[in-house]
Amino acid sequence: MVLGVRAARKQATRDRVLAVARELFQDVGYEETTIRMVAKGAGVSVGSVFTTFSGKAEILSQVMDDRLDTLYAELDRVIPHLRGPTVDRLRSVMAVHYGFEMRRPRMFLAYIGASFAWSPGKVIPVGRNARLQGMLRDILVAGVESQEVRPDADQQTFIDVMLASYFWNYRLASQQGLDAEALIAVMDRQIGLLFDGVAAR
Amino acid sequence: MNQMPTRPFTTGPAPLTRRALAKQQTRQRLLAAAKQLVTERGYEAATVRDIAAAADLSTGAVFASFSDKAELFNEVIIADYAALLERMNSVAAGENSTHATLRKLLALAYEFHAGELPLVQAVIGFSWQRDAAIERRNREGVTLILARLSEVLRGGVESGELAPTLDIDLIAEMLWDSYVANYRRAIFDGWDLEALGDRIANQIDVLLDGYQNAA
């Protein structure tokens, strides 16, 4: 389908706004970035930003949604090659996440923080990413088949606890300046500890 | 002959001067007003001007006590953690397992904040966005609670209920991570105290499962 001139222009504005916002959120900070700054950087009026987005929170949400394509492409490359024990496969999936998100840590931290302020129903809260949950569940199910994981283990709670710690570890990046490698090391310990609870005995 | 002085030595903190007392009262009033306004409107919408007005003080009085809104709100949070710890300490343990004690303490924490979810929402959002100095001070509040949870876990290891290989501080942190993450369910999905309590109980199970010694 060919877009009309008008629709094409609207799409181009939208893309520019998102690209500019992504840079500002990381370089200047989410709180500090204003719609006016985004409009100026994208070479459009403040009014035209608001015809496309309801506000800054929606722009952040869209920027974060868009990043998922790149993240999943990366995971799709890695996952088929995962070998070794179940616990290490889980660690690898989470390590890919830290490696990816820590390329723009400031933006990601703002995203987690802002997700608590968003009104219900508007945005999917962080941590309910069905695809990530599905990936982890597949690994656990395979672990049951290979008799590494107890068949009666509470897989959903395991995943919930793991993801809660996964997100909360980003605090260490903001408070103590930990980098991706250091966060991966913390998560490796946490996954090891959690896995002790579901491991076949 | 000289009389020995009969006045006994004063013990305890010296009485506050009138000025210091007034300053402390101002501070308390601002903390209470900030807490109330943030609970009603959220952090961003509660302006320093409105907080001062609600406390019946001038905007200048706010800045005489706190360097900015972030510091003021951070002190609200810390006072809140201290009050929560006091509540936790006032319940006699009386439970017959580490699991039950942890569940009781965390259920108590959910109950403690039940009427002020918007405040919790603001606190969590706030904790991701501030500078390192504020963040460290904020951490002091959480550390009080983490120490309490670690103490319970340590008791479990000492009584032989839990394996000595258990990494106490790591589990306490992870327990807290899950505890906080569950607030999303209360905020976005309207979960009640019972649902939160059941969920944290399952999470405690999973966290301790690998370290439970056979009874």
Side-chain angles (χ1 to χ4, degrees), chain B residues 82-160:
Chain B
L84 171 60
L85 182 68
E86 209 169 297
R87 273 293 299 280
M88 284 181 162
N89 288 339
S90 72
V91 258
E95 303 292 330
N96 52 16
S97 72
T98 306
H99 176 105
T101 309
L102 290 172
R103 179 183 174 157
K104 188 169 175 181
L105 291 180
L106 291 171
L108 190 82
Y110 284 129
E111 196 189 304
F112 184 81
H113 287 122
E116 45 186 37
L117 280 183
L119 180 73
V120 171
Q121 202 171 343
V123 170
I124 299 175
F126 179 84
S127 73
W128 290 101
Q129 289 163 28
R130 304 301 141 186
D131 62 72
I134 290 269
E135 201 51 75
R136 267 194 297 278
R137 176 91 173 98
N138 182 306
R139 192 81 193 136
E140 287 170 30
V142 180
T143 306
L144 294 174
I145 310 293
L146 287 179
R148 183 76 180 88
L149 299 177
S150 292
E151 190 187 305
V152 174
L153 288 164
R154 200 165 300 116
V157 171
E158 278 161 12
S159 72

Side-chain angles (χ1 to χ4, degrees), chain B residues 47-63:
Chain B
T47 64
V48 169
R49 180 196 293 259
D50 292 344
I51 292 169
D56 220 359
L57 290 160
S58 68
T59 309
V62 177
F63 294 109

Side-chain angles (χ1 to χ4, degrees), chain B residues 34-42 45 118-119:
Chain B
K35 181 174 176 176
Q36 195 191 338
L37 279 190
V38 171
T39 306
E40 285 169 13
R41 304 179 189 175
L119 180 73

Side-chain angles (χ1 to χ4, degrees), chain B residues 160-196:
Chain B
E161 188 190 335
L162 298 173
T165 49
L166 171 132
D167 187 334
I168 290 173
D169 294 337
L170 191 64
I171 296 244
E173 290 254 6
M174 291 175 77
L175 210 51
W176 186 252
D177 295 343
S178 288
Y179 162 80
V180 177
N182 291 344
Y183 272 114
R184 284 185 183 284
R185 300 291 180 175
I187 293 166
F188 293 108
D189 305 322
W191 279 27
D192 62 9
L193 286 175
E194 199 188 329
L196 289 172

